[in-house]
Amino acid sequence: MTNGIRTLLATASTCLVLAPAAATSPSSSACEVRSGPMPTVVVELYTSQGCSSCPPADRWLGGLRRRHGDRVLPLSMHVAYWDYIGWRDPFARSEFTARQRDLARANASRSVYTPGVFVQGLELRDWSVAGRFEARLEEIGRQAATARLTLTVDRIGSSEVAVRVAGQGPAGARLWVMLLGSGLTTRVDAGENRGETLRNDGVVRDWQGPLPLGTGTAVLLKRPAEAVSSRADSWAVAVLADDAQGRTLQAVHLPLAECVQR
C-alpha cells in the first residue's frame, strides 16, 4: 500500500450534518420515517475486503452512529476492482465501482481508491485526521434541508422487503433505495487480509435506482440469506441526490426491527 490507500485510475462518468436535533423522526406508524428540517449526513465508504488498508476505515465507519446518532447515515460500498489480487469480496458490486468513479469525476478527481470517503457526495481524503470529519459535519449543519423524504415499509417477506418512498426535492433530483446489513463477519482466506476475520457494518446489500421521486415510489428490496434470520441488523434506506452535481440532498433510514411483519 502507498500512503495507506489503494488507487485505480477513474474511467467512467455520471453520479449521484450536524443538526441540533434529530435529522429524522418516526411517524405515528412504527414502519414509517420522515426526514426532519436538517439533512441527514450520508457517509459513503468505498472499501474492499481485499485491501489491507481498509479494515481501519471499516471500523471507523462502524462507529459513526455510536458517536453521532441519527445525524449520520454510514454506507459501506464494497468495490470489485481489487478482487483480482486474491480475494473475491462477497459484498462487492460493479454498481458501487461505477458510482465511486462518478463521484470522483464530480469532485474533479482522476482516480478512485480504497478506502475512499465521500460525505454528502463531497470527497473527504483526510477523514482519518482528528477533527476533520466533525468539521465537515458542522459545515453541513449550517444549512437547512432542501428536500423531504418519507419512507414506509409495507411488508417484510422471507426474500424481499416492500417499501414506498415519497417526498419533494429540486428538479432533477434522483432517488436511491437500499437495504443495509450490519454486524456481518467474514473469514478471509486469501489476498492481503488472509487469515483475518473482518466485520462490516452498514453494508449496502441491495441497491435500487436511480428512480424518480413522486408521491409514492414502490420498490422491492431483495433480502440476502444472512438478513433473514436477524432483522435487527437490517435497515431500509432512501437517499435523494443531485447526480449532476454529485451532491446528496436528504436521506432517511428505518431499522426493520421496528416493523411488525405483515
Side-chain angles (χ1 to χ4, degrees), residues 40-71:
T40 295
V41 180
V42 178
V43 183
E44 298 177 50
L45 169 65
Y46 289 88
T47 184
S48 171
Q49 290 186 349
C51 161
S52 61
S53 297
C54 288
D58 295 330
R59 290 190 290 271
W60 172 80
L61 187 82
L64 286 182
R65 284 184 57 79
R66 290 193 298 273
R67 295 192 296 275
H68 303 289
D70 284 341
R71 293 174 295 185

Side-chain angles (χ1 to χ4, degrees), residues 14-16 42 44 46 75 77 99 102-103 106 121 174 176 178 207 239-249:
T14 335
C15 156
L16 214 158
V42 178
E44 298 177 50
Y46 289 88
L75 303 180
M77 316 277 279
R99 179 173 174 79
D102 293 343
L103 284 174
R174 300 197 295 178
W176 302 86
M178 60 201 82
W207 171 266
V239 175
L240 190 68
D242 181 344
D243 289 347
Q245 300 296 319
R247 300 293 183 267
T248 303
L249 303 173

Side-chain angles (χ1 to χ4, degrees), residues 64-141:
L64 286 182
R65 284 184 57 79
R66 290 193 298 273
R67 295 192 296 275
H68 303 289
D70 284 341
R71 293 174 295 185
V72 298
L73 174 59
L75 303 180
S76 182
M77 316 277 279
H78 288 237
V79 297
Y81 49 77
W82 298 128
D83 284 1
Y84 79 94
I85 61 177
W87 177 252
R88 187 176 180 85
D89 190 326
F91 305 133
R93 295 178 61 145
S94 59
E95 301 100 304
F96 302 157
T97 302
R99 179 173 174 79
Q100 186 184 18
R101 294 185 195 279
D102 293 343
L103 284 174
R105 200 171 285 268
N107 280 265
S109 176
R110 297 184 59 189
S111 65
V112 295
Y113 56 91
T114 56
V117 173
F118 293 81
V119 181
Q120 295 301 73
L122 296 175
E123 188 172 19
L124 187 65
R125 283 182 175 262
D126 54 357
W127 59 270
S128 61
V129 177
R132 295 298 171 85
F133 177 72
E134 287 70 21
R136 179 67 60 86
L137 286 184
E138 183 177 355
E139 179 184 345
I140 295 170

